[in-house]
Amino acid sequence: MSKILSQLNDVQRLAVQQIEGAQMVIAGAGSGKTRVLTYKIAYMIEQGIDPFNILSLTFTNKAAREMKERIYTIIDSSEARNVWMGTFHSVFSRILRAEGEVLGYPSNFTIYDTDDSKRLLKAIIKEMQLDDKKYTPGIVANRISSAKSNLITAAQYYASSNIFTADQNAQRPEIREIYKTYAARCFKSSAMDFDDLLLNTYILFQKFPEILYKYQEKFKYILVDEYQDTNHAQYRILRSLADRYQNLTVVGDDAQSIYAFRGANIRNILNFNRDYPEAKTIKLEQNYRSTKNIVGAANSLIANNKGQIPKKIWTDNAEGDKIRIFIATSDNHEGKIVAQSIFDNKITHHYKNRHFAILYRTNAQSRAMEEALRHAGIPYRIYGGISFYGRKEIKDILAYFRLTINPKDDEAFKRIINYPKRGIGNTSLQKMIIAANNKNLSLWETAKQIHRLNIPLHSTAKRKISDFVTMMESFQAQLHQLDAFALAELILKQSTIQHTLQADKTIEGIGRMDNVEELLNAIQEFVEKDKEDEEQAKFDGEEYAGTLDDFMKDVALMTDADKQDDGDSDKVSLMTVHAAKGLEFPVVYVVGLEENLFPSFMSLNSRPELEEERRLFYVALTRAMQKAYISYAEMRYKWGELKFSEPSRFLDEIDEKYLEFENRPTPPSPKISRTAGTAPLNKAKPASRLQRNQSFFKGNKRLTKISDVSPAATPPSNLKNLKTGMRVKHGKFGTGKVIAIEGAPPNTKAKVQFPAVGTKTLLLRFAKLEILE
DNA sequence: GTATTATCTAAGTCT
DNA sequence: TAGATAATAC
């Protein structure tokens, strides 16, 4: 038997050996899914299939990189580099850069990230003079995004009476206008947003059969990871690509589908056999990752979902410890408990920092964890949140790069026309925008012709604008003369960004400078790596010159997960459960298991959404190899307010035999005097499990918001008893006297007379007033 | 046009 | 709480 096959179990081997035809692998958590994919590709190459004919779509670019490396070692050859491997978005952007011309896009098109899209939408909404309460960029962006994910173009959206009616009913009839304008503006700027990468690829293949044919011939073998999370657009593209040869392997687990919110359609995996009647289905049910307790707990949890592909996940691994549940008094306390537990585990069981992960539902929860870890001297790394490329200082610099590469990029233009300050303020910019829209020009073209166009601007302003144009043109001229690093340095200097940043000696300023350094390092690394690859690239018939536009190609698609690990870093990982998909850790802490948080309050209205939350928790639990901990806090800061929370219903869904409740530590919980009657949930202190079971979930009645922290709960919010005439202390204004109280909670305001600063009206919710009586 | 201050408002997950 | 925006003063 081939060496490759001998390293697999029977079912895995079956999956690997079937090269031809359609195949669906249902891979339970920890069942060696990646192993199957990796070995299958290795095996295909070993069997003589040309790696150039293989397309492998992974969930992150990092996963692609790691898979390639593993294939190198399995087949002991560098042939693996010729496999096309990457995320849907990165692979399709590559195709669009090569072929997009027929759709009217230059190969240097910009990829707008969410931030760019929302800024543009905001500008459009403002131009159209719509009510920005009804039309928030977020809501509109979601609407447009889901349309695109379902392959509905702006024109189709506009023409559909069903959609229009739906929007009308939602009090947002203008969305079709916004979408239309938005699409036109993006096109004019030679820009695509994330969804466009899919939509346009689809259109490309539809409209140009000869191009589709070319890629069908190229990708005779297609493998897709995390198939349960593909959306309609991805589904349709795959279908057309695989149509000719039907050699399509999809791997996934319906129990781990957690991306419905961005259009993932679980039916894709459920209907695979209908789409490909000849397809073989293979189920990987043995879990190699986790202990019996963890697998058992996860199984008992997920059993609460309906309508799954039936499967029985089991394991041969050791029994392991029961899952321990920590009950904390507050979010900060939760952080301390987790940090303490990590500390203990390190000492007693000799774990390294990198063996731990802390998983949470929302990014905001990371703060309490960070603080506690910092305090305990435990190094950590946060994935996600505001990613590196999302930082303002980085985005500003990237905007220079973008405008250098694609001068039509209006969002980049707006970002940097007055950064660093060069005296072209908002008024001038607005005038330019109006002129640009009237003449149907990009802002760049408008700026270039600023002297010729009839724009009511002062001549000084015009001169400053043309200075800016001259500077940018000098960068553009260097684009293919200098390598990325040299040009980046030049831009930083000439634009005076470097100078501006260096002048800022505050801690944040230094931090920003550090980030810029890091960006430069990344560019430097890229240039060097590119030089190494140059030979190979030439062989591929591509031009890899290590220039800035090369560097920028993938930046927008880069996520934190894709970032190279900074060497031998031994750090605890902090991330959302979503970000943890596909990863595993010896010890996992899942924190914040509270109603309205996990499951999220957004999901409580419908069964499908609740089930998705449950799958999410399932994903979280199954990341753990040896030990899993779950925690929740009885009180948590939300929206700047301390709120009571309830243990998550999911805790009760796990079979109790897998759980072990920590003795409730008894720190001096603040004395709580609940006002009678105001608390519909009379169980702020979930003292016993029994009590919780009886009370917290009755039918599917949505829980009343638990917002009324009673007056005595915390000193800063001890303000319900505030009366006129009282003396209070304010952090900034000093002591003063209350002269009036107005408004109803939560918007109660107090008028306070401060001897030092005069009368102030303060929102009690925010002002930290202290009563001095 | 810009710097500073006050006020508002958002907080779900991601390519 | 923190970041964004509006209002204000310069």
Side-chain angles (χ1 to χ4, degrees), chain A residues 221-234:
Chain A
Y221 299 88
I222 302 174
L223 303 96
V224 187
D225 196 5
E226 310 283 9
Y227 189 67
Q228 77 279 0
D229 282 326
T230 50
N231 65 26
H232 184 64
Q234 293 165 325

Side-chain angles (χ1 to χ4, degrees), chain A residues 517-541:
Chain A
E517 293 282 321
E518 200 180 328
L519 176 66
L520 281 176
N521 287 341
I523 298 176
Q524 173 81 295
E525 239 172 73
F526 164 81
V527 172
E528 275 163 20
K529 192 173 168 298
D530 227 38
K531 274 181 191 149
E532 283 172 33
D533 288 350
E534 211 176 330
E535 286 305 306
Q536 180 63 35
K538 270 181 196 152
F539 180 70
D540 287 356

Side-chain angles (χ1 to χ4, degrees), chain A residues 114 118 121-122 125 135-145:
Chain A
T114 316
K118 287 196 179 156
L121 283 170
K122 199 172 171 188
I125 291 163
Y135 295 92
T136 66
I139 291 170
V140 179
N142 275 339
R143 192 88 181 126
I144 293 176
S145 170

Side-chain angles (χ1 to χ4, degrees), chain A residues 677-688:
Chain A
T678 54
L681 312 159
N682 197 12
K683 55 220 173 304
K685 294 174 162 190
S688 76

Side-chain angles (χ1 to χ4, degrees), chain A residues 222-439:
Chain A
I222 302 174
L223 303 96
V224 187
D225 196 5
E226 310 283 9
Y227 189 67
Q228 77 279 0
D229 282 326
T230 50
N231 65 26
H232 184 64
Q234 293 165 325
Y235 165 78
R236 291 295 295 273
I237 296 170
L238 276 178
R239 281 211 75 176
S240 41
L241 269 179
D243 196 41
R244 182 165 302 269
Y245 290 97
Q246 309 246 336
N247 296 322
L248 176 63
T249 301
V250 303
V251 183
D253 178 7
D254 55 307
Q256 296 185 62
S257 165
I258 55 173
Y259 279 102
F261 72 90
R262 72 176 205 215
N265 190 344
I266 198 164
R267 287 193 306 271
N268 292 348
I269 194 164
L270 300 178
N271 292 342
F272 189 79
N273 286 310
R274 189 203 61 195
D275 295 334
Y276 300 90
E278 308 288 307
K280 301 252 181 352
T281 302
I282 291 172
K283 286 184 195 174
L284 305 177
E285 296 177 305
Q286 181 177 3
N287 177 309
Y288 291 95
R289 178 186 295 153
S290 314
T291 63
K292 284 201 174 69
N293 269 310
I294 293 168
V295 170
N299 280 345
S300 68
L301 170 82
I302 203 68
N304 290 283
N305 273 8
K306 297 177 174 164
Q308 310 172 47
I309 296 175
K311 56 187 137 2
K312 227 182 164 58
I313 309 300
W314 58 280
T315 185
D316 248 352
N317 291 345
E319 200 77 25
D321 295 345
K322 290 190 176 186
I323 295 177
R324 280 163 99 187
I325 300 194
F326 293 130
I327 305 168
T329 49
S330 67
D331 43 4
N332 290 326
H333 185 225
E334 186 181 36
K336 280 184 197 150
I337 292 178
V338 170
Q340 180 67 47
S341 168
I342 290 178
F343 190 83
D344 293 345
N345 265 322
K346 278 168 69 175
I347 292 188
T348 8
H349 303 288
H350 301 103
Y351 284 111
K352 300 277 189 201
N353 291 321
R354 64 172 178 278
H355 295 146
F356 298 95
I358 304 176
L359 308 182
Y360 34 77
R361 178 65 181 78
T362 67
N363 280 305
Q365 290 166 261
S366 71
R367 193 151 46 99
M369 296 295 140
E370 281 180 75
E371 227 158 81
L373 291 174
R374 228 181 357 243
H375 216 204
I378 300 170
Y380 60 88
R381 186 185 154 186
I382 299 187
Y383 295 77
I386 304 163
S387 80
F388 179 73
Y389 289 101
R391 288 167 207 272
K392 185 185 173 300
E393 62 273 21
I394 300 301
K395 289 212 72 175
D396 288 336
I397 295 170
L398 294 185
Y400 271 91
F401 297 173
R402 280 164 50 176
L403 200 62
T404 303
I405 294 161
N406 170 18
K408 290 202 250 170
D409 184 341
D410 280 356
E411 292 308 300
F413 186 98
K414 285 190 245 173
R415 212 179 162 103
I416 59 174
I417 180 66
N418 201 28
Y419 174 83
K421 296 260 146 62
R422 51 173 70 85
I424 307 167
N426 198 28
T427 331
S428 310
L429 178 60
Q430 289 310 320
K431 286 177 186 164
M432 288 179 70
I433 290 175
I434 291 169
N437 285 343
N438 284 341
K439 301 229 157 34

Side-chain angles (χ1 to χ4, degrees), chain A residues 60 66 182 222 224 292 384 391 476 600 642 652 674 681:
Chain A
T60 62
E66 286 173 356
Y182 172 77
I222 302 174
V224 187
K292 284 201 174 69
R391 288 167 207 272
Q476 287 157 12
S600 155
L642 198 55
D652 289 323
R674 286 197 149 259
L681 312 159

